[in-house]
Amino acid sequence: MGRGGPGGTVVGAGLAVVMLGAIAALAFTWSRDAGPSTTVPERHPGAAELMARPRTPGVWPGPNGLSGVNGDPINDREHVERFCVERGSVCRVAHTYTDRTTYESMTRDTGWTFEEFDGFPGALVVSQGLVPEGRPQDLAGCARGEFDQLWRDFGALMVRHDRADSVVRLGWEFNGTFMPWHGADTEVWIACYRRAADGIRATNPHVLLDWTINAHGTPDGVCGGVSTNCYPGDDYVDIIGIDNYDHWPAARTKADFDRIAAAPDGLDWLFAFARERGKPFSVGEWGVVPTGDAGRENPDFVRWMHAWFAAHAADLAYEAYFSNCDAGGVQSSLFRAGEPGCRANPGTADVYRELFGD
């Protein structure tokens, strides 16, 4: 329901070139059978292969659009699939995060991140920080190469868990001061990102690196006040993305939504940046924020986002709703109403089911 549009099946030029090139490099046949076998094991397509499948302009998600969610309240396959049952259609993307207590826990020791999605047949998107929580000073050491081996270990871990061809949102939302890896020093941030990218790719050349900003504004003291000043270069980025929530500023009308999208760090603004570089686009986190300046749930925000996805389907690598009930969080959950600490967003949930369900 709610997903009709003009006919014709094409893929955006940038998306096709990047993703088909990645597919050509794939040389793995995935197997979880440790013993000898005379049969070919079941193989789930990886992120690059799924993103290269043709999309129908004006339709989202359609038969091939990559739409999904994070695991909530637990980052695992079970909770992603619960959300998908509630919305009424399969999720082709699962979004998860690494532990960021120490450098070791976020790199070589984060195998659980992949184990929790064992057998998930869609694309895995992993948000990976550049430094541990509370350690912004480590960005300089990262830039000098002090953690290169740990980044190589992370790439090897992805291969070992049959998730080499996943998306890694490396140092996401760096243009807000709330992340320990924010770009207070643009040159240091870029150098750290490049060292991490090179390290991961050294042991996992099939990874897709997603450079993702936070929407709605970059402070003067971060990336020189412009998020794209922290762009590390086309050679280090496979996907350009944005996290886009209905807050600061909230969109109360369609005119508000369009104005915010066109402004610096907005959907349209960054999409144009991605197209200039021939990169596919992603929206790795998005959702309503009743606890923010909107002050309420906003079903229309889902309508406007869905229409934007459909209009840009040919070049949209993936999108993932962000479900959250954490204290002090965005309280964007759609299907956990009634649980302690969860704010209900029933009108938004109904519209989301209508537009994203089968």
Side-chain angles (χ1 to χ4, degrees), residues 26-74:
L26 292 176
F28 294 95
T29 299
W30 308 120
S31 172
R32 300 188 187 280
D33 184 358
S37 174
T38 58
T39 61
V40 177
E42 180 182 4
R43 176 188 172 275
H44 295 305
E49 184 175 342
L50 289 169
M51 289 176 190
R53 292 178 179 176
R55 319 290 171 78
T56 303
V59 175
W60 190 262
N64 291 327
L66 299 192
S67 174
V69 71
N70 60 301
D72 176 41
I74 301 172

Side-chain angles (χ1 to χ4, degrees), residues 51-127:
M51 289 176 190
R53 292 178 179 176
R55 319 290 171 78
T56 303
V59 175
W60 190 262
N64 291 327
L66 299 192
S67 174
V69 71
N70 60 301
D72 176 41
I74 301 172
N75 274 318
D76 63 9
R77 177 182 178 181
E78 176 186 351
H79 287 82
V80 165
E81 292 179 345
R82 282 186 188 179
F83 180 96
C84 306
V85 169
E86 288 285 351
R87 83 174 190 174
S89 66
V90 66
C91 289
R92 300 187 184 94
V93 169
H95 185 186
T96 189
Y97 301 79
T98 61
D99 176 82
R100 298 186 298 277
T101 306
T102 66
Y103 250 116
E104 287 75 14
S105 71
M106 64 189 256
T107 55
R108 65 165 62 120
D109 295 334
T110 195
W112 65 270
T113 298
F114 302 98
E115 292 164 2
E116 295 291 356
F117 289 90
D118 185 54
F120 179 71
L124 190 62
V125 174
V126 182
S127 286

Side-chain angles (χ1 to χ4, degrees), residues 215-231:
H216 310 322
T218 301
D220 289 340
V222 180
C223 301
V226 180
S227 61
T228 51
N229 285 342
C230 283
Y231 186 66

Side-chain angles (χ1 to χ4, degrees), residues 143-189:
R144 291 190 296 267
E146 294 175 8
F147 306 107
D148 285 1
Q149 184 57 54
L150 289 173
W151 293 119
R152 289 191 287 269
D153 290 346
F154 181 66
L157 185 76
M158 296 178 70
V159 173
R160 195 157 62 247
H161 285 276
D162 290 354
R163 287 292 180 181
D165 51 351
S166 296
V167 175
V168 173
R169 303 199 321 153
L170 189 59
W172 85 103
E173 295 189 6
F174 57 88
N175 63 317
T177 57
F178 45 84
M179 291 301 196
W181 53 82
H182 66 272
D185 185 315
T186 300
E187 292 184 2
V188 168
W189 193 91

